[in-house]
Amino acid sequence: MSQVNAIGLNSAKSEDIVKSLNTLLSSYQIQYMNARGFHWNIKGRNFFELHIKFEEIYNLLLLKVDEVAERILTLDGSPLHAFSDYLEISKIKEAKNISDGVAAVENLLAGYSILIKMQRDILEQASDAQDEGTASLMSDYITEQEKLVWMLKAYLN
């Protein structure tokens, strides 16, 4: 008979989901800092529109950082909170010294592509574990970010 956690999910499967969510959390933190850096350092002809858009993006990312950390706690896990851990396991790399709008948008687009793939994998993992809470969260994120990817790609064309 399998062990279940306080919310009735298989403990072993929940531990695996927590591991995946910590990798997602780390990747979100790096994407957040990249967007924040773009907001601070953007220069050029599209400064005003991109400065505002990057602020909108980093605020959305910050909300997700908190939601993912709280989901980890809900699953009886511990969210990572050291930036050194984020840098070690994030699937997204730090972006440094980018002030060009096109390069910044391309970087965010690449990061969102990574996040969407990770979230699809976690969605599948959560579905297998009958973890509706995590599955619902990932589904909502995917829907929102697919639209953002379309918009970022439209901006580049």
Side-chain angles (χ1 to χ4, degrees), residues 5 7 9-25 68 71-72 74-77 118 121-135 137-138:
N5 61 19
I7 59 173
L9 297 174
N10 177 288
S11 295
K13 289 182 178 184
S14 290
E15 286 176 21
D16 290 340
I17 293 169
V18 164
K19 184 177 179 185
S20 297
L21 287 172
N22 263 317
T23 303
L24 181 66
L25 175 65
V68 170
R71 187 65 195 165
I72 291 168
T74 301
L75 294 172
D76 291 335
M118 292 174 69
D121 292 344
I122 294 169
L123 175 62
E124 184 177 326
Q125 188 179 19
S127 296
D128 178 58
Q130 298 178 335
D131 178 357
E132 180 61 34
T134 301
L137 198 61
M138 295 302 106

Side-chain angles (χ1 to χ4, degrees), residues 104-120:
V105 171
E106 288 172 343
N107 184 280
L108 287 173
L109 184 58
Y112 275 112
S113 294
I114 292 168
L115 290 171
I116 290 169
K117 182 184 182 329
M118 292 174 69
Q119 290 161 166
R120 283 193 181 115

Side-chain angles (χ1 to χ4, degrees), residues 34-123:
N34 287 347
R36 192 85 196 215
F38 301 150
H39 170 77
W40 290 330
N41 294 303
I42 192 70
K43 292 180 174 69
R45 204 174 62 171
N46 297 319
F47 168 83
F48 291 105
E49 69 185 275
L50 289 176
H51 184 74
I52 291 167
K53 188 63 175 177
F54 294 153
E55 182 175 9
E56 176 188 319
I57 287 171
Y58 76 66
N59 283 327
L60 288 170
L61 290 163
L62 187 57
L63 289 173
K64 287 172 183 55
V65 163
D66 194 54
E67 290 171 347
V68 170
E70 288 176 353
R71 187 65 195 165
I72 291 168
L73 290 163
T74 301
L75 294 172
D76 291 335
S78 296
L80 296 175
H81 60 275
F83 218 78
S84 58
D85 290 332
Y86 300 149
L87 289 170
E88 186 176 324
I89 69 169
S90 173
K91 302 289 185 190
I92 297 173
K93 300 298 178 206
E94 287 180 303
K96 295 181 183 180
N97 304 318
I98 295 177
S99 60
D100 174 71
V102 170
V105 171
E106 288 172 343
N107 184 280
L108 287 173
L109 184 58
Y112 275 112
S113 294
I114 292 168
L115 290 171
I116 290 169
K117 182 184 182 329
M118 292 174 69
Q119 290 161 166
R120 283 193 181 115
D121 292 344
I122 294 169
L123 175 62

